[in-house]
Amino acid sequence: MLSTIGIPGLIIILVIILLIFGPSKLPKLGRSIGESMKNFKESTKGVLDDDDVKKEEKL
C-alpha cells in the first residue's frame, strides 16, 4: 500500500499534517509518537520473552 504513494504523495501528506497541527505542535507530536512506539516495543518484548521461557520449561 505504501509503495503506491510515492515521494510526492508523502510530501503532500507531510504538508497537510503541518497545516493541521502547526509548527509548534510537531515536536511534541513526534516525541509522543516515539515514546508510544518505545513503550509498545518494550511491552511486546516482554510478552515474547515470556513465551520463550514457557517453551523452555515444557522441554
Side-chain angles (χ1 to χ4, degrees):
M1 181 178 153
L2 290 177
S3 63
T4 59
I5 292 176
I7 299 298
L10 290 176
I11 292 172
I12 291 171
I13 291 171
L14 291 174
V15 169
I16 291 171
I17 290 172
L18 181 63
L19 290 174
I20 291 173
F21 292 107
S24 63
K25 300 267 184 174
L26 284 181
K28 292 178 185 177
L29 181 66
R31 189 177 309 117
S32 65
I33 290 173
E35 289 175 358
S36 298
M37 290 178 64
K38 180 181 173 185
N39 290 335
F40 179 75
K41 285 181 182 180
E42 288 175 356
S43 64
T44 57
K45 182 179 178 187
V47 169
L48 293 175
D49 290 343
D50 290 345
D51 289 342
D52 292 340
V53 170
K54 289 178 183 177
K55 286 180 183 177
E56 290 176 1
E57 289 177 356
K58 288 182 179 179
L59 296 175

